[in-house]
Amino acid sequence: MRSEQQIRFTKLWTEVQPAVAMYVRAIVRDPHATSDIVQNTAVVLLRKFDEWDSSRDYLRWAMGIAKFELLAYHRNSGRDRLVFDESLLDALAESWPSVISEVDHEQSALQDCLETLSPKAREIVNLRYFGGLKVPKIAEQLGLTAGAIRIALMRIRHQLAGCVERRLQVHGGDA
């Protein structure tokens, strides 16, 4: 593979890798298996990069490769009770690019809305969702009761949901 092709592949893969990883993670709950499948997908894409028709959407092509890697994973791990059939994987792979676009808009709106929270509310959100702390630990750390934290989280989630919804409506889904 020529240097220009390697650079082009790297740029394209870097752009679509998060979407491919989210697709795989939505189907395979094991983080180690997800990582392996995404890496295998990247290897196949790299090997077959010369075969990619640049008039085709790269994300859709990558999703097709990821689908085959998922099928191989499920075939090789017969111990799993829940196995998706190929038609479901086809449907998911086909619709995933539009789902990712919608998730990106929602994520952007949520990020904007998080910035509108008060510092205390932002701290509670950070401790709970980014720090992974449970309500009793947050209460202990902030010197509040667990009930106060639960109520605060309920209000914060309600506030964020309303904010995200308004931003998506105002921007027609383009937060």
Side-chain angles (χ1 to χ4, degrees):
M1 183 179 274
R2 294 186 331 261
S3 179
E4 305 89 45
Q5 281 184 303
Q6 288 175 327
I7 292 169
R8 187 165 183 220
F9 169 80
T10 302
K11 285 181 179 179
L12 288 167
W13 174 245
T14 302
E15 198 174 288
V16 303
Q17 188 273 338
V20 171
M22 286 189 348
Y23 165 67
V24 173
R25 197 175 312 116
I27 296 168
V28 178
R29 305 309 290 174
D30 176 5
H32 300 293
T34 296
S35 178
D36 290 345
I37 293 166
V38 172
Q39 287 176 15
N40 291 344
T41 300
V43 169
V44 172
L45 288 168
L46 179 60
R47 284 186 185 144
K48 294 185 172 205
F49 191 66
D50 288 340
E51 299 172 25
W52 174 57
D53 175 2
S54 61
S55 69
R56 259 183 92 192
D57 181 56
Y58 189 77
L59 176 58
R60 291 193 187 281
W61 186 60
M63 296 301 294
I65 300 294
K67 178 195 78 165
F68 286 112
E69 290 303 312
L70 281 163
L71 288 169
Y73 166 77
H74 285 303
R75 185 177 52 252
N76 295 335
S77 62
R79 67 186 182 284
D80 287 349
R81 285 179 284 154
L82 176 62
V83 176
F84 295 103
D85 71 356
E86 190 170 350
S87 63
L88 177 59
L89 291 176
D90 281 338
L92 286 170
E94 183 63 32
S95 65
W96 201 256
S98 62
V99 169
I100 284 300
S101 175
E102 187 175 323
V103 168
D104 285 345
H105 295 314
E106 291 170 355
Q107 191 171 16
S108 177
L110 178 58
Q111 191 61 45
D112 291 345
C113 292
L114 284 168
E115 292 174 16
T116 68
L117 293 176
S118 71
K120 182 60 108 184
R122 215 169 321 152
E123 181 179 17
I124 292 170
V125 167
N126 283 331
L127 290 170
R128 177 66 186 104
Y129 298 107
F130 299 106
L133 295 181
K134 301 289 183 191
V135 169
K137 278 287 189 201
I138 297 169
E140 180 183 316
Q141 190 167 332
L142 298 179
L144 299 169
T145 66
I149 297 298
R150 282 188 194 90
I151 289 170
L153 281 168
M154 181 183 67
R155 288 180 179 158
I156 292 166
R157 285 189 293 261
H158 182 75
Q159 179 183 348
L160 288 172
C163 177
V164 168
E165 189 174 313
R166 284 188 300 278
R167 285 184 185 268
L168 291 175
Q169 285 175 349
V170 165
H171 298 289
D174 296 334

